[in-house]
């Protein structure tokens, strides 16, 4: 471990300088030789490093989601070229290049944080051995060796002997109790962080080997922390516990406000968003607008939770716009079914009244009780034809039969002699 830490000795000077600056501030409050001053200096160093790593953390989230999206395509490539490993690797690299995905991007925060971790370990190990490192001189070294956190020196380890611990001014029992509690908390926070990622922020509609790998890491990482933790000084345990708690809180925030599509966290988020939008009639902030915009742009490719969100807005008389805004709908209602198809129905148009059905007597008489008074009375078969005198005789013949309307095609029946009802005299023809 000392060999690995020595490889990062180039960064020990900046790390030791940051710790000394924070110690100068906290030393004025709690005293320069107290564990609070040195412990809070280490915690502040963690916070400063993690703030600087936020852009890498955002990139890690995007890379992880991109890898989750590519899992079905990767599985097809593995099945298609399962007997040709070289072609399989080439197709994988081609897929990464086309989509702009880098599998190593998900490891960037850990890789970027490693130099600071090993540099801090090197500094604390120098305190334990009484060696000045970086900007920590003899005076600061003596102050750090006197600092205890709950009775355990900063440089003490779980595996130290009683003589070594006694030289640091503590007892072996205190050191092992404190380090054991910190190791359990460190492993537990790591397990919970990975577990909430697997149970809340994973697309449940896609079953891929990536999920199995994440599930395996959920159990492997805590065990690794427990095994290596017994060889870490108390100061390093403070550093690692703080960074695990930071990661857990940061991930909880991301899962709550920017969940993975298709996950349980997305279902809970869209339910909260639907209640807020229904109550206030608008989206708030750029984050909500971006999520609504992404859902609208998917169209038929929306998942179950996204379709339910759109339909809930529709029932409330709201429509999500392509720019992420939400507006009221006064003319049309669009309802989306489970298969993604949409149906548009009138929302505010008045219902059309169906005309009343006429009785048989009204149809025979050619009049209706509901007809307007100014409407001209329909002509009967006994009325005189208004056709010109030079019209053909066959066209001048009136239609026979009671209740027949003009132009209903009874001429052929009259000529064939098939007449219905009582026969009436023919109207006099003009010669």
């Amino acid at each position: 471990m000392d060999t690995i830490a020595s490889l990062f000795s180039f960064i020990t000077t900046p790390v030791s300088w940051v710790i000394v600056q924070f110690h100068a501030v906290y030393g004025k409050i709690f005293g320069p030789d107290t564990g609070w001053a040195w412990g809070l200096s280490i915690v502040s160093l963690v916070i400063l490093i993690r703030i600087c790593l936020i852009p890498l953390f955002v990139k890690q989230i995007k890379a992880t989601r991109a890898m989750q999206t590519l899992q079905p395509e990767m599985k097809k490539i593995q099945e298609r070229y399962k007997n040709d490993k070289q072609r399989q690797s080439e197709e994988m690299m081609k897929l990464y290049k086309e989509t702009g995905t880098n599998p190593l991007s998900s490891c960037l925060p850990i890789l970027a944080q490693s130099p600071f971790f090993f540099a801090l370990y090197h500094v604390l190990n120098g305190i334990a051995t009484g060696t000045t490192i970086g900007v920590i001189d003899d005076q600061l070294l003596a102050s750090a060796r006197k600092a205890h956190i709950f009775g355990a020196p900063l440089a003490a380890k779980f595996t130290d002997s009683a003589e070594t611990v006694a030289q640091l001014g503590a007892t072996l029992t205190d050191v092992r109790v404190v380090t054991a509690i910190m190791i359990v908390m460190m492993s537990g926070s790591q397990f919970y962080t990975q577990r909430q990622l697997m149970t809340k922020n994973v697309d449940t509609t896609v079953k891929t080997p990536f999920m199995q790998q994440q599930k395996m890491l959920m159990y492997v990482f805590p065990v690794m922390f427990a095994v290596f933790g017994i060889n870490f000084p108390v100061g390093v345990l403070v550093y690692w516990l703080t960074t695990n708690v930071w990661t857990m809180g940061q991930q909880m925030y991301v899962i709550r406000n920017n969940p993975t599509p298709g996950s349980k966290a997305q279902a809970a988020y869209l339910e909260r968003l639907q209640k807020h939008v229904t109550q206030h009639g608008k989206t708030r902030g750029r984050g909500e607008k971006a999520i609504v915009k992404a859902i609208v742009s998917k169209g038929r490719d929306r998942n179950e939770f996204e379709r339910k969100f759109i339909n809930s807005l529709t029932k409330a008389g709201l429509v999500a716009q392509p720019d992420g805004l939400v507006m009221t709908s006064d003319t049309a209602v669009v309802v989306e079914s489970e298969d993604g198809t949409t149906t548009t129905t009138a929302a505010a148009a008045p219902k059309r009244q169906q005309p009343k059905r006429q009785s048989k007597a009204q149809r025979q008489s050619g009049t209706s009780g509901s007809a307007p008074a100014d409407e001209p009375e329909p002509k009967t078969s006994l009325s005189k034809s208004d056709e010109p005198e030079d019209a053909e005789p066959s066209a001048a013949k009136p239609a026979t039969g009671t209740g027949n309307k003009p132009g209903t095609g009874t001429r052929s029946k009259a000529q064939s002699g098939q007449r219905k009802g009582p026969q009436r005299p023919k109207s006099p023809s003009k010669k």
Side-chain angles (χ1 to χ4, degrees):
M1 191 69 176
D2 293 336
T3 304
I4 298 176
S6 63
L7 297 176
F8 296 93
S9 58
F10 67 94
I11 203 173
T12 54
T13 299
V15 169
S16 61
W17 183 85
V18 173
I19 292 178
V20 169
Q21 300 306 313
F22 281 122
H23 175 263
V25 176
Y26 294 120
K28 296 179 180 180
I29 302 174
F30 302 102
D33 300 334
T34 60
W36 286 103
W38 286 99
L40 290 176
S41 299
I42 297 174
V43 172
S44 301
L45 174 66
V46 176
I47 295 175
L48 178 62
I49 293 174
R50 295 309 302 267
I51 290 176
C52 296
L53 293 179
I54 286 178
L56 292 179
F57 179 77
V58 174
K59 191 172 183 179
Q60 178 193 20
I61 294 175
K62 294 181 179 180
T64 303
R65 292 187 179 177
M67 290 297 296
Q68 291 175 351
T69 305
L70 291 179
Q71 287 303 312
E73 297 296 329
M74 294 171 62
K75 189 175 181 180
K76 292 179 181 178
I77 294 176
Q78 292 173 354
E79 293 178 353
R80 183 180 302 174
Y81 306 104
K82 58 182 178 181
N83 296 327
D84 190 352
K85 298 297 182 182
Q86 182 178 358
R87 182 65 182 277
Q88 184 181 119
S89 301
E90 293 175 356
E91 292 296 327
M92 288 288 189
M93 296 302 297
K94 183 179 179 181
L95 180 64
Y96 294 151
K97 186 177 181 180
E98 291 177 353
T99 58
T101 305
N102 187 358
L104 297 179
S105 299
S106 59
C107 304
L108 284 178
I110 297 177
L111 295 177
Q113 191 177 349
S114 298
F116 299 96
F117 168 76
F118 288 113
L120 179 62
Y121 176 85
H122 200 46
V123 171
L124 295 175
N125 190 56
I127 293 174
T129 57
T131 305
T132 58
I133 296 179
V135 299
I136 299 180
D137 53 15
D138 293 334
Q139 182 180 357
L140 292 173
L141 180 63
S143 175
R145 289 176 66 88
K146 295 178 183 179
H148 291 68
I149 298 178
F150 300 109
L154 287 176
K157 306 175 186 177
F158 183 87
T159 56
D160 285 344
S161 62
E163 293 78 8
T164 304
V165 174
Q167 293 177 1
L168 297 173
T171 62
L172 185 62
T173 303
D174 292 341
V175 171
R176 290 189 173 179
V177 169
V178 172
T179 53
I181 293 175
M182 295 182 71
I183 289 172
V184 171
M185 293 176 63
M186 183 176 64
S187 302
S189 60
Q190 178 66 33
F191 176 79
Y192 181 80
T193 300
Q194 195 69 21
R195 186 176 183 274
Q196 73 172 351
L197 180 64
M198 287 297 302
T199 57
K200 296 182 179 180
N201 207 37
V202 173
D203 189 354
T204 57
T205 60
V206 180
K207 304 294 182 181
T208 61
F210 181 77
M211 297 177 61
Q212 298 298 327
Q213 296 174 4
Q214 293 293 322
K215 188 175 181 180
M216 181 181 64
L217 294 177
M218 180 174 65
Y219 296 99
V220 171
F221 275 162
V223 175
M224 292 177 58
F225 276 106
V227 171
F228 292 110
I230 61 177
N231 295 314
F232 289 162
V234 173
V236 175
L237 293 179
V238 172
Y239 174 90
W240 210 247
L241 176 61
T242 305
T243 192
N244 281 0
V245 173
W246 177 281
T247 301
M248 181 176 63
Q250 188 173 247
Q251 185 171 271
M252 290 176 64
Y253 175 82
V254 172
I255 290 175
R256 178 178 175 83
N257 296 280
N258 192 15
T260 300
S263 63
K264 294 181 180 179
Q266 189 196 30
Y269 176 82
L270 292 180
E271 184 177 356
R272 296 192 305 268
L273 180 60
Q274 183 265 328
K275 291 181 180 179
H276 168 77
V277 173
T278 302
Q279 183 178 1
H280 297 87
K282 62 180 181 178
T283 53
R284 56 184 177 184
R286 296 175 58 184
E288 291 185 354
K289 292 180 181 178
I291 290 179
V292 173
K293 181 179 179 180
I295 293 175
V296 173
S297 63
K298 287 184 178 180
R300 297 175 62 92
D301 296 331
R302 301 183 189 120
N303 57 45
E304 177 185 359
F305 308 128
E306 293 166 348
R307 287 196 297 266
K308 183 178 179 181
F309 171 73
I310 295 296
N311 289 337
S312 298
L313 294 182
T314 301
K315 293 178 181 178
L318 302 172
V319 175
Q321 302 297 314
D323 57 356
L325 298 176
V326 176
M327 302 179 65
T328 58
S329 175
D330 297 331
T331 57
V333 174
V334 181
V335 180
E336 185 174 4
S337 61
E338 294 297 328
D339 58 353
T341 59
T342 57
T343 304
T344 305
T345 59
K351 294 184 178 180
R352 182 179 179 181
Q353 295 182 355
Q354 297 292 338
K356 295 183 179 180
R357 187 173 182 179
Q358 297 178 348
S359 63
K360 185 176 181 180
Q362 291 174 338
R363 291 196 301 270
Q364 291 178 351
S365 62
T367 59
S368 175
S370 59
D374 57 348
E375 185 176 349
E377 185 178 356
K379 297 181 180 180
T380 61
S381 59
L382 296 179
S383 60
K384 186 176 180 180
S385 176
D386 295 333
E387 295 182 359
E389 295 182 358
D390 57 347
E392 295 181 4
S394 59
K397 291 184 179 180
T400 58
T402 304
N404 291 335
K405 296 181 181 180
T408 56
T410 58
R411 174 188 170 194
S412 60
K413 294 182 180 180
Q415 291 178 353
S416 60
Q418 297 178 358
R419 301 176 181 176
K420 294 183 178 180
Q423 298 182 0
R424 296 182 180 180
K426 298 181 180 179
S427 57
S429 61
K430 297 180 181 180
K431 295 183 179 179

